[in-house]
Amino acid sequence: MPQRKCIVGYFKGIKPNPPLGVCVTILPEAGEMFEIPAFTEHVPVNILFIMATQNRELDVFKTVKNKGSFTQKMIDTIKQYFPDIYNRMEEQNFLICDDKGFLQKAITPVIRKPYIVIKGKLIVGCGDSVFLNDPITGQGCNLASYCAEQLYETLIQYKDANWNPIGIEQSSM
C-alpha cells in the first residue's frame, strides 16, 4: 500500500523566495511541500512538490484529472496550508507552465532481488531499482551512490579472488 502521494506541478506566477533555492515546509503527519525554482524550455517556473501522507489533510488531489482542476486544487491547498507561498503568489498569473506540467503518483515501498545473471554476466542493481522507499529525501539517489561506492571498494579489495556465483539464478535474457 502506498505510504505517500507525490503531487507535483511546474507553475508560473510565484515571486521568488530570496535567497533563491529549495524551500521545504513540513506539516507533521500530513506531509511536506518542496518549492524548487527551475527553468523550463521557455520560462522560469517554481516546482511545487507536495509529499502527502495518504488519507491526511494534504491528500486532496485524488479526483483531479486536468490542469485546470489541478491548478485550482493547488491554489486552495497553498492558501490553506502554505501561507508563505500564497503571499508570493500572483493568483491571476498562477498557472501550470504547459499541458503536461503536473503529475500525481503514489509510492509503494518495495524491496527487489538486488542482482540477476544474464548470459553469464552478473548485473547488480542499486538505489530505487532494488529498494524503493518513501522519496522524501532522495534516498534512492543516496543509496545508489553509496552502493556503487561500496561495490567499487569491494571489487578492488577482492580483484584477484575467484568469484563463485553458486545459487545465483541464470536468465536467458
Side-chain angles (χ1 to χ4, degrees):
M1 171 191 282
Q3 292 180 337
R4 298 240 184 206
K5 303 279 182 74
C6 298
I7 301 127
V8 63
Y10 286 56
F11 290 96
K12 299 185 273 187
I14 302 174
K15 294 175 187 170
N17 187 22
L20 196 59
V22 176
C23 296
V24 180
T25 305
I26 299 171
L27 299 177
E29 299 184 19
E32 301 80 24
M33 165 71 86
F34 294 83
E35 181 183 3
I36 307 164
F39 291 95
T40 65
E41 182 179 4
H42 303 290
V43 296
V45 297
N46 281 41
I47 300 170
L48 299 180
F49 181 17
I50 295 175
M51 296 281 298
T53 302
Q54 187 163 302
N55 299 319
R56 299 302 297 247
E57 303 90 296
L58 294 178
D59 186 15
V60 294
F61 288 77
K62 298 172 190 173
T63 60
V64 172
K65 302 294 181 206
N66 61 56
K67 75 176 189 175
S69 58
F70 187 90
T71 300
Q72 188 57 55
K73 186 61 76 175
M74 187 63 78
I75 291 169
D76 296 342
T77 302
I78 290 170
K79 188 174 187 176
Q80 183 172 358
Y81 295 104
F82 306 100
D84 179 59
I85 296 172
Y86 185 76
N87 291 335
R88 291 182 287 110
M89 182 188 299
E90 301 163 345
E91 199 167 330
Q92 68 280 4
N93 296 323
F94 183 77
L95 56 113
I96 291 176
C97 69
D98 64 45
D99 289 340
K100 296 180 182 180
F102 70 102
L103 172 73
Q104 297 181 70
K105 182 73 177 163
I107 303 296
T108 302
V110 64
I111 297 175
R112 299 178 182 96
K113 187 170 80 172
Y115 63 87
I116 188 169
V117 176
I118 300 176
K119 297 183 180 178
K121 296 194 188 252
L122 178 63
I123 310 297
V124 178
C126 296
D128 287 344
S129 69
V130 176
F131 183 76
L132 181 60
N133 197 10
D134 185 338
I136 184 70
T137 60
Q139 297 97 324
C141 179
N142 296 333
L143 185 59
S145 298
Y146 179 76
C147 179
E149 177 185 32
Q150 293 303 305
L151 184 56
Y152 170 79
E153 294 295 331
T154 301
L155 291 171
I156 293 299
Q157 182 179 354
Y158 295 99
K159 66 182 175 190
D160 296 324
N162 288 327
W163 289 87
N164 185 0
I166 292 177
I168 296 178
E169 298 125 28
Q170 299 285 323
S171 175
S172 60
M173 293 177 126

